[in-house]
Amino acid sequence: MCNQNPVFGSGDKCPVCGGTGTELFEKMIDGYDTPLEYARPCPRCKGKSREHDETRVPPQFCDADLYKFGFDSYIQNMDRFKQVIWDFFNNFKTWEKSGKGLYLWSKTPGSGKTFLSCCVARSLMVKYDLRMRFVTAPDYLAAVGESYKRQEGMMDKS
């Protein structure tokens, strides 16, 4: 499970972050005139005050974030790709308003799609205080199929 909620005294929240699990900081980014505001795990509770158990993120990716993704490890067309990913992260509210998102695909198994997805999702969760759920494509398609069966009055599997 990702980041189980620690106990501070008798159910109190973390005294540093107040239970948010994050600490805000500013960072200068190339191309911007002013620093951008980001959040990072609280130095006291290490981000564990906030419950992430419902995310279903694979255990090996629980600590993923965009600063840990090695874009430089990939050779072709990574500059534009990296730019799009960071724009999505930095301007998420604009993307969200326009109904747009990211679709990551590759013909190559093990190319980093799952790790990058978890990095983006966790970074968005921290920066924008969002909740997310990790779902594989086969699990999503199965859930959609089951919802159609329920709508048609068919019995669910037991």
Side-chain angles (χ1 to χ4, degrees), residues 18-56:
T20 66
T22 59
E23 169 186 59
L24 297 178
F25 71 100
E26 291 185 344
K27 180 177 178 180
M28 283 301 296
I29 303 295
D30 290 341
Y32 291 89
D33 298 329
T34 59
L36 298 177
E37 189 176 67
Y38 292 93
R40 61 180 155 225
C42 171
R44 168 78 191 278
C45 68
K46 307 287 190 254
K48 295 178 182 176
S49 282
R50 182 177 169 159
E51 293 183 40
H52 294 290
D53 296 342
E54 296 177 0
T55 64
R56 297 185 186 166

Side-chain angles (χ1 to χ4, degrees), residues 67-81:
Y67 293 101
K68 294 179 182 174
F69 189 81
F71 286 97
D72 298 335
S73 302
Y74 299 87
I75 312 168
Q76 54 194 27
N77 301 324
M78 266 303 147
D79 288 338
R80 178 69 181 131
F81 181 71

Side-chain angles (χ1 to χ4, degrees), residues 79-90:
D79 288 338
R80 178 69 181 131
F81 181 71
K82 181 179 179 180
Q83 200 174 37
V84 169
I85 295 294
W86 280 100
D87 184 70
F88 182 76
F89 172 67
N90 289 316

Side-chain angles (χ1 to χ4, degrees), residues 79-106:
D79 288 338
R80 178 69 181 131
F81 181 71
K82 181 179 179 180
Q83 200 174 37
V84 169
I85 295 294
W86 280 100
D87 184 70
F88 182 76
F89 172 67
N90 289 316
N91 301 300
F92 175 73
K93 293 295 183 183
T94 304
W95 283 66
E96 184 181 38
K97 269 186 203 169
S98 66
K100 294 183 179 180
L102 294 177
Y103 178 73
L104 305 175
W105 68 273
S106 171

